[in-house]
Amino acid sequence: MDRAPRRRGVHWWTSVALILIGLLVLLAIAVQSFSGQLLMEGRYWADLTRAISNDHAERVRQGRAGELPREGLVRSWYLPGGVAPPDLPRPLANLPAGNYSSEASLLDDAVNLEAGTTYHAVVADLPQGRLVTLVDIEPLEQQQNRYARLSLLWIVCFAAVIGGFIAWLHANLVRPVRDLAARMQAIDPSDTGARLPTDYQREEIQVIAQASNAHLDRVAQFIQRERSLLDQASHEFRTPIAVIAGAADVLRQLPLPDASQPALARIEHAVEDLSETMVALLYLAREAPPDDEVTDVTALHDFLPHVARDHEHLLRGKDARLHCGALEPTFIAAPEAMVRIAVSNLVRNAVENTEVGLVEITLAQGRVTVTDSGSGFNPVEAARRYRDSLRQSVPARGQGLGLFLIGRICDRFRWTLDIDSGAHGTRATLDVSASVVEVP
């Protein structure tokens, strides 16, 4: 069986959206950091240092060597006759003309000035000496490293904010909604006064709880009206049924002509059927008792022969007989009235569809089997006839109503009914194993 696709909740989609936004922000920060790192590439600094060296060389040619900067990030030294000034880093004093850097990259050489120093330098030959130009990029790299650490801290803080918001969303939305759903599911249907708490912190959850309580109020009023109607109907139906049954008993004691006996028998059978139907409908209209509540226990193997004897009169005028086969001792936790209605409808359907042959009742492994050799029984057609009869002003009781009652009883006690019908008869199997109990 294909399962319905699982639908994601608001919390899931919100969390995914926040995580995606966070990833996009982190990507933007990473791109920005990488772009800043590109500014520290050696080729840019080499070109810049060379341009500065050319500018300072022009100053020297103009006789302005004293204006060369000796402090700061950019420094230059003019070495006339190869004499090095005292503040010139020693590793640069005797280098030939060329580009130099502490970063061993595409430049001529990597020369270490001192530990932890990052620089780019250009040594240029002039007619009267040499010019050494140095650009110290160590402070810039340190500043960039500080920005990188701040970016990492921002990433951690941003991730913590997203995680905290997701946790807050779960605590303030998902958990209260699930708690509300669990409380609603735990409400006992028989307790019409049970209501949901409305003291939730979030106004949205309070609105849902209040609306649910208002709905429960309407349901409770509806149930109360139905129960009142059910009680009145039960009383109103029982009285005329009892009157008809009493009158039939009185008529049975009178010396009536033989021609009236079939009519009297039909009255008695109709009263029995109506009584069974009323008992079933009233029982099924009530809420099912809890699973741990003690119910009536019916000895099914002793009960089935009584059902067979009660239906033998339906075989009058037919070349058929009703027989109980092997009956395995079986006890079930179900009222005898419900068992009688379920089995009686199966037996009645089998007898009504059998003109010649045998109707047999067997019991084995918690399954009641009613087999007939009749013309076959179509449950779909019977259900259709019952559905059509409901549209009439006075619905008739027949196979469709019997199947309806059996279906409701099976739903109540978790039984199953299987009907296998063919041209040579029908086999109806009522599986009551779900209610089988051990009796000492």
Side-chain angles (χ1 to χ4, degrees), residues 75 89-92 95 102 110-121 134-136:
R75 291 173 286 173
R90 186 177 300 274
L92 301 178
L95 293 177
S102 61
V111 179
N112 292 326
L113 297 182
E114 58 186 42
T117 300
T118 304
Y119 74 95
H120 286 266
L134 176 69
V135 177
D136 187 3

Side-chain angles (χ1 to χ4, degrees), residues 135-283:
V135 177
D136 187 3
I137 63 174
E138 178 64 25
L140 296 177
E141 284 198 341
Q142 292 177 356
Q143 184 67 27
Q144 186 186 41
N145 292 335
R146 284 195 293 271
Y147 288 156
R149 288 191 292 269
L150 288 176
S151 297
L152 180 61
L153 180 61
W154 164 248
I155 290 173
V156 173
C157 293
F158 191 73
V161 169
I162 292 178
F165 184 75
I166 293 175
W168 179 89
L169 193 64
H170 177 79
N172 291 270
L173 177 62
V174 178
R175 188 180 299 171
V177 169
R178 289 180 178 175
D179 177 75
L180 187 66
R183 291 176 181 270
M184 181 173 292
Q185 190 174 8
I187 291 179
D188 186 2
S190 61
D191 185 5
T192 57
R195 295 295 181 270
L196 296 174
T198 58
D199 56 349
Y200 289 95
Q201 295 182 354
R202 301 300 166 191
E203 181 181 359
E204 296 79 5
I205 310 300
Q206 293 181 6
V207 170
I208 296 176
Q210 292 170 359
S212 300
N213 286 338
H215 177 72
L216 290 176
D217 290 337
R218 293 195 298 270
V219 171
Q221 294 173 4
F222 173 79
I223 293 176
Q224 183 62 33
R225 291 194 300 268
E226 292 296 314
R227 285 180 176 176
S228 176
L229 177 62
L230 190 63
D231 293 339
Q232 294 178 7
S234 174
H235 175 73
E236 295 298 328
F237 285 153
R238 288 180 185 276
T239 300
I241 291 175
V243 171
I244 295 173
D249 290 338
V250 173
L251 292 176
R252 181 65 66 182
Q253 305 298 325
L254 298 177
L256 299 176
D258 295 339
S260 63
Q261 294 302 320
L264 182 59
R266 286 196 299 271
I267 292 175
E268 293 174 341
H269 297 155
V271 170
E272 292 176 0
D273 292 344
L274 184 58
S275 298
E276 289 182 357
T277 302
M278 187 187 67
V279 170
L281 293 177
L282 293 177
Y283 181 86

